[in-house]
């Protein structure tokens, strides 16, 4: 709720979905509530502010994050571990559902 008073002055809000520090951490599911609450707050204020999420984002959970209201996704480990091209294609397939 501390953002309530500055919503008209910002372009983006970053919600960390892990504890900041190092790559490869597991997504904290409770952060979905923060994304949803922020999205509701932005809609109520009728402002267009990007919601960025960073940390533990994988092909298995990115759909939930997008449905919660995030529209800027940061992912590292889920892209760069294993077959990078296949990982990118997997994310792109999911993102196309929201285009």
């Amino acid at each position: 709720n501390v953002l309530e008073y500055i919503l008209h002055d910002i372009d983006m809000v970053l919600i960390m979905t892990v504890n900041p520090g190092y790559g490869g951490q597991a997504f904290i599911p409770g952060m979905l509530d923060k994304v949803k609450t922020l999205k509701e707050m932005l809609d109520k204020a009728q402002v267009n502010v990007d919601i960025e999420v960073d940390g533990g984002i994988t092909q298995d959970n990115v759909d939930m994050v997008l449905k919660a209201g995030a529209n800027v996704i940061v992912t590292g480990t889920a892209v760069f571990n294993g077959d990078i091209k296949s990982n990118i294609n997997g994310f792109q397939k999911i993102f196309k559902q929201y285009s």
Side-chain angles (χ1 to χ4, degrees):
N1 63 353
V2 296
L3 296 174
E4 221 171 349
Y5 303 100
I6 61 167
L7 290 179
H8 295 280
D9 299 320
I10 59 177
D11 298 315
M12 180 182 293
V13 175
L14 167 64
I15 296 179
M16 292 298 298
T17 47
V18 296
N19 293 313
Y22 61 92
Q25 295 182 61
F27 177 81
I28 301 171
M31 295 299 101
L32 283 175
D33 289 336
K34 281 191 175 189
V35 174
K36 289 176 189 174
T37 300
L38 176 59
K39 179 64 174 159
E40 291 167 3
M41 193 183 318
L42 295 171
D43 289 347
K44 182 178 178 183
Q46 297 180 337
V47 293
N48 186 22
V49 174
D50 289 322
I51 301 174
E52 178 179 4
V53 291
D54 183 358
I57 306 299
T58 66
Q59 291 180 49
D60 293 330
N61 63 23
V62 71
D63 190 56
M64 292 184 303
V65 172
L66 292 166
K67 284 180 181 173
N71 66 325
V72 178
I73 307 298
V74 177
T75 185
T77 303
V79 169
F80 295 106
N81 277 356
D83 184 341
I84 295 171
K85 185 174 181 175
S86 175
N87 294 338
I88 290 171
N89 288 338
F91 275 105
Q92 287 178 331
K93 184 178 178 182
I94 296 166
F95 295 151
K96 282 182 184 179
Q97 298 172 30
Y98 293 87
S99 298

Coordinates of all heavy atoms in Angstrom, one line a residue:
N1 N 0.8 -1.2 0.0 CA 0.0 0.0 0.0 C 0.8 1.3 0.0 O 0.3 2.3 -0.2 CB -1.0 0.0 1.2 CG -0.3 0.0 2.5 OD1 0.9 -0.1 2.6 ND2 -1.1 0.1 3.5
V2 N 2.2 1.2 0.2 CA 3.0 2.3 0.2 C 3.1 2.9 -1.2 O 3.4 4.1 -1.4 CB 4.4 2.1 0.7 CG1 4.4 1.7 2.2 CG2 5.1 1.0 -0.1
L3 N 2.8 2.2 -2.2 CA 2.8 2.6 -3.6 C 1.6 3.4 -4.0 O 1.6 4.2 -5.0 CB 3.0 1.5 -4.6 CG 4.3 0.7 -4.5 CD1 4.2 -0.5 -5.4 CD2 5.5 1.5 -4.8
E4 N 0.6 3.3 -3.2 CA -0.7 3.9 -3.5 C -0.6 5.4 -3.8 O -1.3 5.9 -4.7 CB -1.6 3.7 -2.3 CG -3.0 3.4 -2.6 CD -3.8 3.1 -1.3 OE1 -3.2 2.9 -0.2 OE2 -5.0 3.0 -1.4
Y5 N 0.2 6.1 -3.1 CA 0.3 7.5 -3.3 C 1.2 8.0 -4.4 O 1.2 9.2 -4.8 CB 0.8 8.1 -2.0 CG -0.1 7.7 -0.8 CD1 0.3 6.7 0.0 CD2 -1.3 8.3 -0.6 CE1 -0.5 6.3 1.1 CE2 -2.1 8.0 0.4 CZ -1.8 6.9 1.2 OH -2.6 6.5 2.3
I6 N 1.9 7.0 -5.1 CA 2.8 7.4 -6.2 C 2.5 6.7 -7.5 O 3.3 6.8 -8.4 CB 4.3 7.2 -5.8 CG1 4.6 5.7 -5.5 CG2 4.7 8.1 -4.6 CD1 6.1 5.4 -5.4
L7 N 1.4 6.0 -7.5 CA 1.1 5.2 -8.7 C 1.1 6.0 -10.0 O 1.4 5.5 -11.1 CB -0.3 4.5 -8.6 CG -0.3 3.4 -7.5 CD1 -1.7 2.8 -7.5 CD2 0.7 2.3 -7.9
H8 N 0.7 7.3 -9.9 CA 0.7 8.1 -11.1 C 2.1 8.7 -11.5 O 2.2 9.3 -12.5 CB -0.3 9.3 -10.9 CG -1.7 8.8 -10.8 ND1 -2.5 8.5 -11.9 CD2 -2.5 8.6 -9.7 CE1 -3.7 8.1 -11.5 NE2 -3.7 8.1 -10.1
D9 N 3.1 8.4 -10.7 CA 4.4 8.9 -10.9 C 5.4 7.8 -11.3 O 6.6 8.1 -11.6 CB 5.0 9.6 -9.7 CG 4.1 10.7 -9.2 OD1 3.6 11.5 -10.1 OD2 3.8 10.9 -8.0
I10 N 5.0 6.6 -11.4 CA 5.9 5.5 -11.7 C 5.6 4.8 -13.0 O 4.5 4.9 -13.5 CB 6.0 4.5 -10.6 CG1 4.6 3.8 -10.3 CG2 6.5 5.1 -9.3 CD1 4.6 2.8 -9.3
D11 N 6.6 4.1 -13.6 CA 6.4 3.4 -14.8 C 6.4 1.9 -14.6 O 5.8 1.2 -15.4 CB 7.5 3.7 -15.8 CG 7.6 5.2 -16.2 OD1 6.5 5.7 -16.5 OD2 8.7 5.8 -16.3
M12 N 7.1 1.4 -13.6 CA 7.2 0.0 -13.4 C 7.4 -0.3 -11.9 O 8.0 0.5 -11.2 CB 8.4 -0.5 -14.2 CG 8.7 -2.0 -14.0 SD 10.1 -2.6 -14.9 CE 9.7 -2.4 -16.6
V13 N 6.9 -1.5 -11.5 CA 7.2 -2.0 -10.1 C 7.8 -3.3 -10.3 O 7.3 -4.2 -11.0 CB 5.9 -2.0 -9.3 CG1 6.2 -2.7 -7.9 CG2 5.2 -0.7 -9.1
L14 N 8.9 -3.5 -9.6 CA 9.6 -4.8 -9.5 C 9.2 -5.6 -8.3 O 9.3 -5.1 -7.2 CB 11.1 -4.7 -9.6 CG 11.9 -5.9 -9.3 CD1 11.7 -7.0 -10.3 CD2 13.4 -5.6 -9.2
I15 N 8.7 -6.8 -8.5 CA 8.4 -7.7 -7.3 C 9.4 -8.8 -7.4 O 9.4 -9.6 -8.4 CB 6.9 -8.2 -7.3 CG1 6.0 -7.0 -7.2 CG2 6.7 -9.2 -6.2 CD1 4.5 -7.4 -7.2
M16 N 10.2 -8.9 -6.4 CA 11.2 -10.0 -6.3 C 10.4 -11.3 -5.9 O 9.7 -11.2 -4.9 CB 12.3 -9.7 -5.4 CG 13.3 -8.6 -5.9 SD 14.1 -9.0 -7.4 CE 15.0 -10.5 -7.0
T17 N 10.5 -12.4 -6.6 CA 9.8 -13.6 -6.3 C 10.7 -14.6 -5.7 O 10.4 -15.8 -5.6 CB 9.1 -14.1 -7.6 OG1 10.0 -14.1 -8.7 CG2 7.9 -13.2 -7.9
V18 N 11.9 -14.2 -5.3 CA 12.8 -15.0 -4.5 C 13.5 -14.0 -3.5 O 13.2 -12.8 -3.6 CB 14.0 -15.6 -5.3 CG1 13.4 -16.6 -6.3 CG2 14.8 -14.6 -6.0
N19 N 14.3 -14.5 -2.6 CA 15.1 -13.6 -1.7 C 16.3 -13.2 -2.5 O 17.0 -14.1 -3.0 CB 15.5 -14.4 -0.5 CG 14.3 -14.7 0.4 OD1 13.5 -13.8 0.7 ND2 14.2 -15.9 0.9
P20 N 16.5 -11.9 -2.8 CA 17.6 -11.4 -3.6 C 18.9 -12.0 -3.1 O 19.2 -12.1 -1.9 CB 17.5 -9.9 -3.4 CG 16.1 -9.6 -3.0 CD 15.7 -10.8 -2.2
G21 N 19.8 -12.3 -4.1 CA 21.1 -12.7 -3.7 C 21.8 -13.6 -4.7 O 22.9 -13.3 -5.1
Y22 N 21.2 -14.6 -5.2 CA 21.9 -15.5 -6.1 C 20.9 -16.2 -7.0 O 19.7 -16.4 -6.6 CB 22.7 -16.6 -5.3 CG 21.9 -17.5 -4.4 CD1 21.4 -18.7 -4.9 CD2 21.7 -17.1 -3.1 CE1 20.7 -19.5 -4.1 CE2 20.9 -17.9 -2.3 CZ 20.4 -19.1 -2.8 OH 19.7 -20.0 -1.9
G23 N 21.3 -16.7 -8.2 CA 20.5 -17.3 -9.1 C 20.1 -18.7 -8.8 O 20.8 -19.4 -7.9
G24 N 19.1 -19.2 -9.3 CA 18.7 -20.6 -9.2 C 17.8 -20.9 -8.0 O 17.5 -22.1 -7.7
Q25 N 17.3 -19.9 -7.3 CA 16.4 -20.1 -6.2 C 15.0 -20.5 -6.6 O 14.6 -20.2 -7.7 CB 16.3 -18.8 -5.3 CG 17.6 -18.4 -4.7 CD 17.4 -17.1 -3.8 OE1 16.6 -17.2 -2.9 NE2 18.1 -16.1 -4.2
A26 N 14.3 -21.1 -5.7 CA 12.9 -21.5 -6.0 C 12.0 -20.3 -5.9 O 12.1 -19.5 -5.0 CB 12.5 -22.6 -5.1
F27 N 11.0 -20.2 -6.7 CA 10.0 -19.2 -6.7 C 9.2 -19.3 -5.4 O 8.9 -20.4 -4.9 CB 9.0 -19.5 -7.9 CG 7.8 -18.6 -8.0 CD1 7.9 -17.3 -8.5 CD2 6.6 -19.0 -7.5 CE1 6.8 -16.5 -8.6 CE2 5.5 -18.2 -7.7 CZ 5.6 -17.0 -8.2
I28 N 8.9 -18.1 -4.8 CA 8.1 -18.1 -3.6 C 6.6 -17.8 -4.0 O 6.3 -16.7 -4.4 CB 8.6 -16.9 -2.7 CG1 10.1 -17.1 -2.3 CG2 7.7 -16.8 -1.4 CD1 10.7 -15.9 -1.6
P29 N 5.8 -18.9 -3.9 CA 4.4 -18.8 -4.3 C 3.6 -17.6 -3.7 O 2.7 -17.1 -4.3 CB 3.8 -20.1 -3.9 CG 5.0 -21.1 -3.8 CD 6.1 -20.2 -3.3
G30 N 3.9 -17.3 -2.5 CA 3.2 -16.2 -1.8 C 3.3 -14.8 -2.5 O 2.5 -13.9 -2.3
M31 N 4.3 -14.7 -3.4 CA 4.5 -13.5 -4.1 C 3.4 -13.3 -5.2 O 3.2 -12.1 -5.6 CB 5.9 -13.4 -4.8 CG 7.0 -13.4 -3.8 SD 7.0 -12.0 -2.7 CE 6.4 -12.7 -1.2
L32 N 2.7 -14.3 -5.5 CA 1.6 -14.2 -6.5 C 0.5 -13.2 -5.9 O -0.1 -12.5 -6.6 CB 1.0 -15.5 -6.8 CG 1.7 -16.4 -7.8 CD1 1.0 -17.8 -7.9 CD2 1.8 -15.8 -9.1
D33 N 0.3 -13.3 -4.6 CA -0.7 -12.4 -4.0 C -0.2 -11.0 -4.1 O -1.1 -10.1 -4.3 CB -0.9 -12.8 -2.5 CG -1.6 -14.1 -2.3 OD1 -2.4 -14.5 -3.3 OD2 -1.5 -14.7 -1.3
K34 N 1.1 -10.7 -4.0 CA 1.5 -9.3 -4.1 C 1.3 -8.8 -5.6 O 0.9 -7.7 -5.8 CB 3.0 -9.3 -3.8 CG 3.4 -9.2 -2.4 CD 4.8 -8.9 -2.1 CE 5.1 -8.7 -0.7 NZ 6.4 -8.2 -0.4
V35 N 1.5 -9.7 -6.5 CA 1.3 -9.3 -7.9 C -0.2 -9.0 -8.1 O -0.5 -8.0 -8.7 CB 1.8 -10.4 -8.9 CG1 1.5 -10.1 -10.3 CG2 3.3 -10.6 -8.8
K36 N -1.0 -9.9 -7.7 CA -2.5 -9.7 -7.8 C -2.9 -8.4 -7.2 O -3.7 -7.7 -7.7 CB -3.2 -10.9 -7.2 CG -3.1 -12.2 -8.0 CD -3.8 -13.3 -7.3 CE -3.6 -14.6 -8.0 NZ -4.1 -15.8 -7.3
T37 N -2.5 -8.2 -5.9 CA -2.9 -7.0 -5.2 C -2.4 -5.7 -5.9 O -3.2 -4.8 -6.0 CB -2.3 -7.0 -3.8 OG1 -2.8 -8.2 -3.1 CG2 -2.6 -5.8 -3.0
L38 N -1.2 -5.7 -6.4 CA -0.7 -4.6 -7.2 C -1.5 -4.4 -8.4 O -1.9 -3.2 -8.7 CB 0.8 -4.8 -7.5 CG 1.4 -3.7 -8.3 CD1 1.3 -2.3 -7.7 CD2 2.9 -4.1 -8.6
K39 N -1.8 -5.4 -9.1 CA -2.6 -5.3 -10.4 C -4.0 -4.7 -10.1 O -4.4 -3.8 -10.8 CB -2.7 -6.7 -11.0 CG -3.6 -6.7 -12.3 CD -2.9 -5.9 -13.4 CE -3.7 -6.0 -14.7 NZ -3.4 -4.9 -15.6
E40 N -4.6 -5.2 -9.0 CA -5.9 -4.6 -8.6 C -5.8 -3.1 -8.3 O -6.6 -2.3 -8.7 CB -6.5 -5.4 -7.4 CG -6.9 -6.8 -7.8 CD -7.2 -7.7 -6.6 OE1 -7.1 -7.2 -5.4 OE2 -7.5 -8.9 -6.8
M41 N -4.7 -2.7 -7.6 CA -4.5 -1.4 -7.2 C -4.3 -0.5 -8.5 O -4.8 0.6 -8.5 CB -3.2 -1.3 -6.3 CG -3.1 0.0 -5.6 SD -1.5 0.1 -4.6 CE -1.4 -1.5 -3.8
L42 N -3.5 -1.0 -9.4 CA -3.3 -0.2 -10.6 C -4.5 -0.1 -11.5 O -4.8 1.0 -12.0 CB -2.2 -0.9 -11.5 CG -0.8 -1.0 -10.9 CD1 0.1 -1.9 -11.7 CD2 -0.2 0.4 -10.7
D43 N -5.3 -1.1 -11.6 CA -6.6 -1.1 -12.3 C -7.5 -0.1 -11.7 O -8.2 0.7 -12.3 CB -7.2 -2.5 -12.4 CG -6.5 -3.4 -13.3 OD1 -5.6 -3.0 -14.1 OD2 -6.8 -4.6 -13.2
K44 N -7.6 -0.1 -10.3 CA -8.5 0.8 -9.6 C -8.1 2.3 -9.9 O -8.9 3.1 -10.0 CB -8.5 0.5 -8.1 CG -9.4 1.3 -7.3 CD -9.4 0.9 -5.8 CE -10.3 1.9 -5.0 NZ -10.2 1.5 -3.6
A45 N -6.8 2.5 -9.9 CA -6.3 3.9 -10.1 C -6.3 4.2 -11.6 O -6.0 5.4 -11.9 CB -4.8 4.0 -9.5
Q46 N -6.6 3.3 -12.4 CA -6.6 3.5 -13.9 C -5.3 4.0 -14.4 O -5.2 5.0 -15.1 CB -7.8 4.4 -14.3 CG -9.1 3.8 -13.9 CD -10.3 4.7 -14.3 OE1 -10.1 5.9 -14.5 NE2 -11.4 4.0 -14.5
V47 N -4.2 3.4 -14.0 CA -2.9 3.8 -14.5 C -2.2 2.6 -15.2 O -2.5 1.4 -14.9 CB -1.9 4.3 -13.3 CG1 -2.4 5.6 -12.8 CG2 -1.8 3.2 -12.2
N48 N -1.4 2.9 -16.2 CA -0.7 1.8 -16.9 C 0.8 1.8 -16.4 O 1.6 2.5 -16.9 CB -0.7 2.2 -18.4 CG -0.1 1.1 -19.3 OD1 -0.1 -0.1 -18.8 ND2 0.3 1.4 -20.5
V49 N 1.0 0.8 -15.5 CA 2.3 0.6 -14.9 C 2.7 -0.8 -15.1 O 1.9 -1.7 -14.9 CB 2.3 1.0 -13.4 CG1 3.6 0.6 -12.7 CG2 1.9 2.4 -13.2
D50 N 3.9 -1.0 -15.6 CA 4.4 -2.4 -15.8 C 4.6 -3.1 -14.4 O 5.1 -2.4 -13.5 CB 5.7 -2.4 -16.6 CG 5.5 -2.1 -18.1 OD1 4.4 -2.5 -18.6 OD2 6.3 -1.4 -18.6
I51 N 4.3 -4.4 -14.4 CA 4.6 -5.2 -13.2 C 5.7 -6.2 -13.6 O 5.4 -7.1 -14.5 CB 3.4 -5.9 -12.7 CG1 2.3 -4.9 -12.3 CG2 3.8 -6.8 -11.5 CD1 1.0 -5.6 -11.9
E52 N 6.9 -6.0 -13.1 CA 8.0 -6.9 -13.4 C 8.2 -7.9 -12.3 O 8.1 -7.5 -11.1 CB 9.3 -6.1 -13.6 CG 10.5 -6.9 -13.9 CD 11.7 -6.0 -14.1 OE1 11.6 -4.8 -13.9 OE2 12.8 -6.5 -14.4
V53 N 8.5 -9.2 -12.6 CA 8.8 -10.2 -11.6 C 10.1 -10.8 -11.9 O 10.5 -10.9 -13.1 CB 7.7 -11.3 -11.6 CG1 6.4 -10.8 -11.0 CG2 7.5 -11.9 -12.9
D54 N 10.9 -11.1 -10.9 CA 12.3 -11.5 -11.1 C 12.6 -12.5 -10.0 O 12.5 -12.2 -8.8 CB 13.2 -10.4 -11.0 CG 14.7 -10.8 -11.2 OD1 15.0 -12.0 -11.4 OD2 15.5 -9.9 -11.2
G55 N 12.9 -13.8 -10.4 CA 13.3 -14.8 -9.4 C 12.5 -16.1 -9.5 O 11.3 -16.0 -9.2
G56 N 13.2 -17.1 -9.8 CA 12.6 -18.4 -9.8 C 11.5 -18.7 -10.9 O 10.7 -19.6 -10.8
I57 N 11.5 -17.8 -11.9 CA 10.5 -17.9 -12.9 C 10.9 -19.0 -13.9 O 12.0 -19.0 -14.4 CB 10.3 -16.6 -13.7 CG1 10.0 -15.4 -12.8 CG2 9.2 -16.8 -14.8 CD1 8.7 -15.6 -12.0
T58 N 10.0 -20.0 -14.1 CA 10.2 -21.1 -15.0 C 9.0 -21.3 -15.9 O 8.0 -20.7 -15.7 CB 10.4 -22.4 -14.1 OG1 9.1 -22.7 -13.5 CG2 11.5 -22.3 -13.1
Q59 N 9.2 -22.2 -16.8 CA 8.0 -22.5 -17.7 C 6.9 -23.1 -16.9 O 5.7 -23.0 -17.4 CB 8.5 -23.5 -18.8 CG 9.4 -22.8 -19.8 CD 9.9 -23.7 -20.9 OE1 9.0 -24.4 -21.5 NE2 11.2 -23.8 -21.2
D60 N 7.2 -23.7 -15.8 CA 6.1 -24.3 -15.0 C 5.3 -23.3 -14.2 O 4.1 -23.6 -13.8 CB 6.7 -25.3 -14.0 CG 7.3 -26.5 -14.7 OD1 6.8 -26.9 -15.8 OD2 8.3 -27.1 -14.2
N61 N 5.8 -22.1 -13.9 CA 5.1 -21.2 -13.1 C 4.8 -19.8 -13.8 O 4.1 -19.0 -13.3 CB 5.8 -20.9 -11.8 CG 7.2 -20.3 -11.9 OD1 7.5 -19.7 -12.8 ND2 8.0 -20.6 -10.9
V62 N 5.4 -19.6 -15.0 CA 5.3 -18.3 -15.6 C 3.8 -18.0 -16.0 O 3.4 -16.8 -15.9 CB 6.2 -18.1 -16.8 CG1 5.7 -19.0 -18.0 CG2 6.3 -16.7 -17.3
D63 N 3.0 -19.0 -16.3 CA 1.6 -18.8 -16.6 C 0.9 -18.2 -15.4 O 0.1 -17.3 -15.6 CB 1.0 -20.1 -17.1 CG -0.4 -19.9 -17.7 OD1 -0.5 -19.1 -18.6 OD2 -1.3 -20.6 -17.2
M64 N 1.1 -18.7 -14.2 CA 0.5 -18.2 -13.0 C 0.8 -16.8 -12.8 O 0.0 -16.0 -12.4 CB 0.9 -19.0 -11.8 CG 0.4 -20.5 -11.8 SD 0.9 -21.3 -10.2 CE 2.6 -21.2 -10.2
V65 N 2.1 -16.4 -13.0 CA 2.6 -15.1 -12.8 C 1.9 -14.1 -13.8 O 1.5 -13.0 -13.4 CB 4.1 -15.0 -12.9 CG1 4.7 -13.6 -12.9 CG2 4.8 -15.9 -11.8
L66 N 1.8 -14.5 -15.0 CA 1.2 -13.7 -16.1 C -0.3 -13.5 -15.7 O -0.8 -12.4 -15.8 CB 1.4 -14.3 -17.4 CG 2.8 -14.3 -18.0 CD1 2.9 -15.3 -19.2 CD2 3.2 -12.9 -18.3
K67 N -1.0 -14.6 -15.3 CA -2.4 -14.5 -15.0 C -2.6 -13.6 -13.8 O -3.6 -13.0 -13.6 CB -3.0 -15.9 -14.7 CG -3.2 -16.7 -16.0 CD -3.8 -18.0 -15.7 CE -4.0 -18.8 -17.0 NZ -4.3 -20.2 -16.8
A68 N -1.6 -13.5 -12.9 CA -1.7 -12.7 -11.7 C -1.6 -11.2 -12.1 O -2.1 -10.4 -11.3 CB -0.6 -13.1 -10.7
G69 N -1.0 -10.9 -13.2 CA -0.9 -9.5 -13.7 C 0.4 -9.0 -14.1 O 0.5 -7.9 -14.6
A70 N 1.5 -9.8 -13.9 CA 2.8 -9.4 -14.3 C 2.9 -9.3 -15.8 O 2.2 -10.1 -16.5 CB 3.8 -10.4 -13.8
N71 N 3.6 -8.4 -16.4 CA 3.8 -8.3 -17.8 C 5.2 -8.1 -18.2 O 5.5 -8.0 -19.4 CB 2.9 -7.2 -18.4 CG 3.3 -5.8 -17.9 OD1 3.8 -5.6 -16.8 ND2 3.2 -4.8 -18.8
V72 N 6.1 -8.1 -17.3 CA 7.6 -8.1 -17.6 C 8.2 -9.2 -16.8 O 8.1 -9.2 -15.5 CB 8.2 -6.7 -17.2 CG1 9.7 -6.8 -17.5 CG2 7.6 -5.6 -17.9
I73 N 8.8 -10.2 -17.5 CA 9.3 -11.4 -16.9 C 10.8 -11.4 -17.0 O 11.4 -11.2 -18.0 CB 8.7 -12.6 -17.6 CG1 7.2 -12.6 -17.7 CG2 9.2 -13.9 -16.9 CD1 6.5 -12.5 -16.3
V74 N 11.5 -11.7 -15.8 CA 12.9 -11.8 -15.8 C 13.2 -13.3 -15.4 O 12.7 -13.8 -14.4 CB 13.6 -10.9 -14.8 CG1 15.1 -11.1 -14.7 CG2 13.3 -9.4 -15.1
T75 N 14.0 -13.9 -16.3 CA 14.4 -15.3 -15.9 C 15.8 -15.5 -16.4 O 16.3 -15.0 -17.4 CB 13.4 -16.3 -16.6 OG1 13.8 -17.6 -16.1 CG2 13.4 -16.3 -18.1
G76 N 16.6 -16.3 -15.6 CA 18.0 -16.5 -16.0 C 18.2 -18.0 -16.0 O 18.4 -18.6 -17.1
T77 N 18.2 -18.7 -14.9 CA 18.5 -20.1 -14.8 C 17.6 -20.9 -15.7 O 18.1 -21.8 -16.3 CB 18.3 -20.5 -13.3 OG1 19.2 -19.7 -12.5 CG2 18.7 -22.0 -13.2
A78 N 16.3 -20.6 -15.8 CA 15.4 -21.4 -16.6 C 15.6 -21.3 -18.1 O 15.2 -22.1 -18.8 CB 13.9 -21.0 -16.3
V79 N 16.4 -20.3 -18.5 CA 16.8 -20.1 -19.9 C 18.2 -20.7 -20.1 O 18.4 -21.5 -21.1 CB 16.7 -18.6 -20.3 CG1 17.4 -18.5 -21.7 CG2 15.3 -18.1 -20.3
F80 N 19.1 -20.4 -19.2 CA 20.5 -20.7 -19.5 C 21.0 -22.1 -19.0 O 22.0 -22.5 -19.4 CB 21.4 -19.6 -19.0 CG 21.2 -18.3 -19.7 CD1 20.5 -17.3 -19.1 CD2 21.6 -18.2 -21.0 CE1 20.3 -16.1 -19.7 CE2 21.4 -17.0 -21.7 CZ 20.7 -15.9 -21.0
N81 N 20.2 -22.8 -18.2 CA 20.5 -24.2 -17.9 C 19.9 -25.1 -18.9 O 18.7 -25.1 -19.2 CB 20.0 -24.5 -16.5 CG 20.9 -24.0 -15.4 OD1 21.9 -23.5 -15.6 ND2 20.4 -24.2 -14.1
G82 N 20.8 -26.0 -19.4 CA 20.3 -27.0 -20.4 C 20.3 -26.4 -21.8 O 21.2 -25.6 -22.2
D83 N 19.3 -26.8 -22.6 CA 19.2 -26.4 -24.0 C 18.6 -25.0 -24.1 O 17.4 -24.9 -24.0 CB 18.4 -27.4 -24.8 CG 18.3 -27.2 -26.2 OD1 18.6 -26.1 -26.7 OD2 17.9 -28.1 -27.0
I84 N 19.4 -24.0 -24.3 CA 19.0 -22.6 -24.3 C 17.9 -22.4 -25.4 O 16.9 -21.8 -25.1 CB 20.1 -21.7 -24.5 CG1 21.1 -21.8 -23.3 CG2 19.7 -20.2 -24.6 CD1 22.4 -21.0 -23.4
K85 N 18.1 -22.9 -26.6 CA 17.2 -22.6 -27.6 C 15.8 -23.3 -27.3 O 14.8 -22.6 -27.5 CB 17.7 -23.2 -29.0 CG 16.8 -22.9 -30.1 CD 17.5 -23.3 -31.4 CE 16.6 -23.0 -32.6 NZ 17.2 -23.3 -33.9
S86 N 15.8 -24.5 -26.8 CA 14.6 -25.1 -26.4 C 13.9 -24.4 -25.3 O 12.7 -24.3 -25.3 CB 14.9 -26.6 -26.0 OG 13.7 -27.2 -25.5
N87 N 14.7 -23.9 -24.3 CA 14.1 -23.2 -23.2 C 13.4 -21.9 -23.7 O 12.3 -21.6 -23.3 CB 15.2 -22.8 -22.2 CG 15.7 -24.1 -21.5 OD1 15.1 -25.1 -21.5 ND2 16.9 -24.0 -21.0
I88 N 14.1 -21.2 -24.6 CA 13.5 -19.9 -25.1 C 12.3 -20.2 -25.9 O 11.3 -19.5 -25.7 CB 14.6 -19.2 -26.0 CG1 15.7 -18.6 -25.1 CG2 13.9 -18.1 -26.8 CD1 16.9 -18.1 -25.9
N89 N 12.3 -21.2 -26.7 CA 11.1 -21.6 -27.5 C 9.9 -22.0 -26.6 O 8.8 -21.6 -26.9 CB 11.4 -22.8 -28.4 CG 12.3 -22.4 -29.6 OD1 12.4 -21.2 -30.0 ND2 13.0 -23.3 -30.2
G90 N 10.2 -22.6 -25.5 CA 9.2 -23.0 -24.5 C 8.5 -21.8 -23.9 O 7.3 -21.7 -23.8
F91 N 9.4 -20.8 -23.5 CA 8.8 -19.5 -23.0 C 8.0 -18.8 -24.0 O 7.0 -18.3 -23.8 CB 9.9 -18.6 -22.4 CG 10.3 -19.0 -21.0 CD1 11.5 -19.6 -20.7 CD2 9.5 -18.6 -19.9 CE1 11.8 -19.9 -19.4 CE2 9.8 -18.9 -18.6 CZ 11.0 -19.6 -18.4
Q92 N 8.6 -18.7 -25.3 CA 7.9 -18.0 -26.3 C 6.5 -18.6 -26.6 O 5.6 -17.8 -26.9 CB 8.7 -17.9 -27.6 CG 9.9 -17.0 -27.5 CD 10.8 -17.0 -28.7 OE1 10.9 -18.0 -29.4 NE2 11.5 -15.9 -28.9
K93 N 6.4 -19.9 -26.6 CA 5.1 -20.5 -26.8 C 4.1 -20.1 -25.7 O 2.9 -19.8 -26.0 CB 5.3 -22.1 -26.8 CG 4.1 -22.9 -27.1 CD 4.4 -24.3 -27.1 CE 3.1 -25.1 -27.3 NZ 3.4 -26.6 -27.3
I94 N 4.5 -20.0 -24.5 CA 3.7 -19.6 -23.4 C 3.3 -18.1 -23.6 O 2.1 -17.7 -23.5 CB 4.3 -19.8 -22.0 CG1 4.5 -21.3 -21.8 CG2 3.5 -19.2 -20.9 CD1 5.5 -21.6 -20.7
F95 N 4.3 -17.3 -24.0 CA 4.0 -15.8 -24.1 C 3.0 -15.5 -25.2 O 2.3 -14.6 -25.2 CB 5.3 -15.1 -24.3 CG 6.3 -15.1 -23.2 CD1 7.6 -15.0 -23.4 CD2 5.8 -15.2 -21.9 CE1 8.5 -15.0 -22.3 CE2 6.7 -15.2 -20.8 CZ 8.1 -15.2 -21.0
K96 N 3.1 -16.3 -26.3 CA 2.2 -16.1 -27.4 C 0.7 -16.2 -27.0 O -0.1 -15.6 -27.7 CB 2.5 -17.1 -28.6 CG 3.7 -16.8 -29.3 CD 3.9 -17.7 -30.5 CE 5.2 -17.4 -31.2 NZ 5.5 -18.3 -32.3
Q97 N 0.4 -16.9 -26.0 CA -1.0 -17.0 -25.5 C -1.5 -15.7 -24.9 O -2.7 -15.5 -24.8 CB -1.1 -18.1 -24.4 CG -0.7 -19.5 -24.9 CD -0.7 -20.4 -23.7 OE1 -1.4 -20.3 -22.7 NE2 0.2 -21.4 -23.8
Y98 N -0.5 -14.8 -24.6 CA -0.9 -13.5 -24.0 C -0.7 -12.3 -25.0 O -0.9 -11.2 -24.6 CB 0.0 -13.3 -22.8 CG -0.4 -14.3 -21.7 CD1 0.2 -15.5 -21.6 CD2 -1.4 -14.0 -20.7 CE1 -0.1 -16.4 -20.7 CE2 -1.7 -14.9 -19.8 CZ -1.1 -16.1 -19.7 OH -1.5 -17.0 -18.8
S99 N -0.4 -12.6 -26.2 CA -0.2 -11.5 -27.2 C -1.5 -10.9 -27.7 O -2.5 -11.6 -27.8 CB 0.6 -12.1 -28.4 OG 1.9 -12.5 -28.0

